Amino acid sequence: MVTVQGPWSPLLGRLSLGAIPDNPIIAGAFVFSAVLGAVLLGYLTFGRKWGYLYREWLTTVDHKKIGVMYIIIGLVMLFRGFIDALMMRTQQVLADGPHSPGFLGAAHGYLVPYHFDQIYSAHGTIMILFAATPILVGLMNVIVPLQIGARDMAFPYLNALGLWLTAVGAALIMLSLFLGDFSHAGWVGLTPLTEVPYSPGVGVDYWMWAIQISSVGTTLGAANLIATIIKMRAPGMTWGRLPIFTWTALSTNIIALTSFPVLGVALGLLGADRYFGTHFFTAGLGGNLMLYSDLFWIWGHPEVYFVILPAFGMMSEIIPTFAEKPLFGYATMVAASFAIAGISWSVWLHHFFTMGAGPSVNTFFSVATMVVGIPTGVKVFNWAFTVFRGRARFETPMLWAVGALFMLLLGGLTGMMLAMPPINYSVHNSVFVVAHFHTMLMVVIYGIMGAVSYWFPKVFGFKLNEALGKRFFWYFTAGTLMVFIPMYTSGFMGMTRRLDYLANPALFPFEVAEEVGIGLYIVSIYYFVRQLYASVRDRAAHQVGADAWGSARTLEWLTPSPVPFYNFAVTPRVHARDELVWRRTQGLDTTPVARYEDIPMPKNTPVPLVIGAWALGLGFGLVWRIWWLTDASFVLIVLTVIARSFVHDTDYTVKARDVQETEQGLQRRAQDAAHERHGVGIGAFAPRESSP
């Protein structure tokens, strides 16, 4: 094993009291987290919720609850990543020029360079892998089985295991804030900064093992979703009738299944360098620095489409619903999704055009990058033609979908600029690139927010407050424009990325504008939280029936809202691409079930939670080189997996009479909601805003 700097003991490894950061900012974050945790623990304890939490959530294999927990993890990490962004922007505003004052031990601004480096590394890692990815995986978990008429995922146990491995990765990221430090080598892990001579602490190890463990969960989830889509479709759900969101989920998870193992190999080789003294990436000892960059971006660029393709699918569900028209160009939309997924593997080198590969190599990857714009343009025109001559209703989900479309146009056009090597040479490593990347990620965020407001009533049975949702949208959009348009401008003026100190005072006005944009983001978060609170408070007034929007088109809107744990009382038979529209036309959308049948369902199990606990011990032991904890955790994981293989009693049967009673109760609830809204049919489910 590689000998590292600092003390080490057989019991605690590298862990000591010196690992607790001596930083007032981190101390404040710890106090905030401790108070929040104490409030949560108090609520669970005094409200006697532990049993319910364990039975219904922690041990569940229900794809809908697993999806909700994925989304909760993603939202928590999204908040953490936003705080990192706020700190970076504030530092750059304060550290303006050689005469700017310093605070908290910093020469300029309030963050010392090493702490600033950790913040931007954490921000990128969190936003891509622990915020966007879990939220998207959660939405696919909730919606895909419902859209194809399935009871659950193909492998419910593995689905839960993937969730808890993702939670372990997020937990390691959060632990690094209060115990030790985090990587200072950027979210991509720039070599040779990640090698032991340049990063002898535990920061890179936290980064590496958090990603490695969570990526195992993502890979398991990808295989599960692919198997579910292929094997679990309801009768009549042919490939030509598959909803577009399910198609994009399929292409997305093919990317995940084939790309995340590449990331695992890259991090495995880095781990060998750090722990066993190999030199895969040490240029002076037979290694190759570019090998890591190639491996990382062979994963990294398909990962960009891993997060953006589901957003395209969400837009393709929301826009037809609120345009009250079928999606234009269904076949070309499907072909475009797989074209984007395929081309994504041939563009990774555009991340380092300046490496000196030569004009022929740069030309190939430049053309390949531009080719991505063709299937993406097909999607844009199809969405536009879907709205054309439709009866567009600009409710909150539609606003987010249209906002995502405009973000895609801005990000796509700047992407075409960066695809040209001469322009790329001019703005490489500048904040212009950062602005482009964030604009594309805004397509994902807008798609996510639209999807959350669109499918929220399906999961919870009531709508989100419309008035507050629109305020959230407009303040968020204003913040986006105020942050990233100045960033594009300062990038053209030569501002490089990762700066903790601005030597050029001419850039100061742009940094102030970005700080104003961050302030608008904070206002938007206030309205988001207020929207959630007001919606839960007034949920009785916003209850919905099966079709919350009155013009939905796909199969999930045939089920009651909220969806029962068995999804469908009777496995549906699909007759058309827009099944709900076909049934509504035939007058069959409210036809009662003639005869109920027994339904086999998977049992809840604590095994994924237990394996997750051992995985957390494994990751923590590897970070701090506590070898007894590492060995014990690994052995316990293996023994738990083996023990689980001997368990055959994994299913139970829901009796037909219980299904009937549940369905009748849900029907009465839907009727009460309709009467509460003083109407029936489509008009019964028209939005009704309460006073914010």
Side-chain angles (χ1 to χ4, degrees), residues 63-68 71 137-147 455 458-459 567:
H63 71 96
K64 299 179 291 297
K65 291 181 177 178
I66 288 173
V68 170
I71 293 169
V137 172
L139 287 166
M140 288 187 283
N141 256 278
V142 172
I143 301 305
V144 167
L146 294 173
Q147 284 198 331
W455 279 303
K458 176 51 57 183
V459 176
N567 290 357

Side-chain angles (χ1 to χ4, degrees), residues 36 45 77 113 119 164 181 225 248 256 269 306 342 425 437 596 692:
L36 192 63
T45 302
M77 300 306 287
I119 289 172
W164 291 112
D181 52 21
L225 271 162
T248 58
L269 296 178
F306 171 87
Y425 269 70
F437 183 58
Y596 293 93

Side-chain angles (χ1 to χ4, degrees), residues 415-572:
M416 290 299 102
M417 294 170 63
L418 290 170
M420 304 176 189
I423 296 178
N424 196 294
Y425 269 70
S426 300
V427 297
H428 181 77
N429 206 36
S430 75
V431 293
F432 183 92
V433 179
V434 177
H436 158 71
F437 183 58
H438 280 76
T439 306
M440 296 306 296
L441 285 180
M442 281 298 147
V443 179
V444 181
I445 298 299
Y446 275 71
I448 285 173
M449 293 306 174
V452 167
S453 58
Y454 179 62
W455 279 303
F456 185 94
K458 176 51 57 183
V459 176
F460 295 102
F462 60 92
K463 283 185 177 181
L464 291 171
N465 184 286
E466 187 74 9
L468 292 172
K470 288 181 177 178
R471 293 186 191 180
F472 170 40
F473 168 80
W474 287 114
Y475 275 103
F476 189 92
T477 301
T480 299
L481 297 176
M482 282 298 295
V483 169
F484 296 113
I485 290 179
M487 193 177 291
Y488 279 118
T489 307
S490 57
F492 263 132
M493 294 179 66
M495 180 178 173
T496 57
R497 62 202 305 183
R498 308 185 185 99
L499 287 183
D500 69 303
Y501 164 71
L502 296 178
N504 183 2
L507 300 174
F508 180 69
F510 302 107
E511 297 306 306
V512 172
E514 291 173 33
E515 190 76 357
V516 171
I518 292 290
L520 292 171
Y521 274 145
I522 293 173
V523 175
S524 74
I525 292 172
Y526 161 75
Y527 279 114
F528 176 63
V529 174
R530 189 173 166 187
Q531 179 193 27
L532 292 177
Y533 170 76
S535 301
V536 174
R537 181 196 62 198
D538 302 331
R539 60 188 178 277
H542 295 279
Q543 290 182 356
V544 296
D547 182 2
W549 304 105
S551 56
R553 314 185 70 82
T554 44
L555 198 58
E556 73 270 24
W557 298 103
L558 185 64
T559 63
S561 303
V563 185
F565 63 93
Y566 48 77
N567 290 357
F568 297 90
V570 175
T571 300

Side-chain angles (χ1 to χ4, degrees), residues 323-375:
E324 300 186 20
K325 278 182 59 183
L327 180 68
F328 184 90
Y330 173 89
T332 57
M333 282 296 231
V334 174
S337 297
F338 281 88
I340 291 170
I343 297 170
S344 71
W345 285 93
S346 63
V347 300
W348 81 89
L349 195 133
H350 72 211
H351 289 274
F352 37 93
F353 272 143
T354 59
M355 65 176 270
S360 57
V361 173
N362 284 357
T363 299
F364 172 85
F365 284 94
S366 173
V367 172
T369 304
M370 294 181 189
V371 168
V372 177
I374 297 174

Side-chain angles (χ1 to χ4, degrees), residues 634-648:
F634 179 76
V635 170
L636 286 169
I637 290 172
V638 173
L639 292 177
T640 304
V641 171
I642 293 173
R644 164 71 184 184
S645 69
F646 288 97
V647 177
H648 301 292

Side-chain angles (χ1 to χ4, degrees), residues 236-458:
M237 181 62 78
T238 61
W239 291 110
R241 294 173 179 170
L242 212 59
I244 289 294
F245 180 70
T246 301
W247 273 118
T248 58
L250 179 61
S251 58
T252 292
N253 285 284
I254 290 172
I255 290 175
L257 188 62
T258 51
S259 67
F260 272 90
V262 179
L263 176 64
V265 169
L267 296 180
L269 296 178
L270 176 62
D273 279 8
R274 290 185 61 83
Y275 285 80
F276 301 121
T278 57
H279 299 288
F280 289 104
F281 308 128
T282 308
L285 294 168
N288 189 333
L289 292 175
M290 289 310 304
L291 173 62
Y292 177 81
S293 294
D294 278 314
L295 288 173
F296 184 88
W297 286 113
I298 286 174
W299 162 81
H301 205 86
E303 161 69 9
V304 172
Y305 296 103
F306 171 87
V307 296
I308 207 167
L309 279 171
F312 290 167
M314 296 163 192
M315 296 163 66
S316 298
E317 300 293 347
I318 293 170
I319 290 174
T321 295
F322 292 97
E324 300 186 20
K325 278 182 59 183
L327 180 68
F328 184 90
Y330 173 89
T332 57
M333 282 296 231
V334 174
S337 297
F338 281 88
I340 291 170
I343 297 170
S344 71
W345 285 93
S346 63
V347 300
W348 81 89
L349 195 133
H350 72 211
H351 289 274
F352 37 93
F353 272 143
T354 59
M355 65 176 270
S360 57
V361 173
N362 284 357
T363 299
F364 172 85
F365 284 94
S366 173
V367 172
T369 304
M370 294 181 189
V371 168
V372 177
I374 297 174
T376 306
V378 168
K379 287 182 173 289
V380 171
F381 281 108
N382 283 350
W383 290 322
F385 285 130
T386 301
V387 178
F388 181 64
R389 292 187 176 177
R391 291 175 290 185
R393 307 185 338 247
F394 288 96
E395 298 177 49
T396 304
M398 186 65 161
L399 288 177
W400 286 109
V402 174
L405 179 57
F406 279 100
M407 289 295 113
L408 177 61
L409 292 174
L410 177 59
L413 290 172
T414 54
M416 290 299 102
M417 294 170 63
L418 290 170
M420 304 176 189
I423 296 178
N424 196 294
Y425 269 70
S426 300
V427 297
H428 181 77
N429 206 36
S430 75
V431 293
F432 183 92
V433 179
V434 177
H436 158 71
F437 183 58
H438 280 76
T439 306
M440 296 306 296
L441 285 180
M442 281 298 147
V443 179
V444 181
I445 298 299
Y446 275 71
I448 285 173
M449 293 306 174
V452 167
S453 58
Y454 179 62
W455 279 303
F456 185 94
K458 176 51 57 183

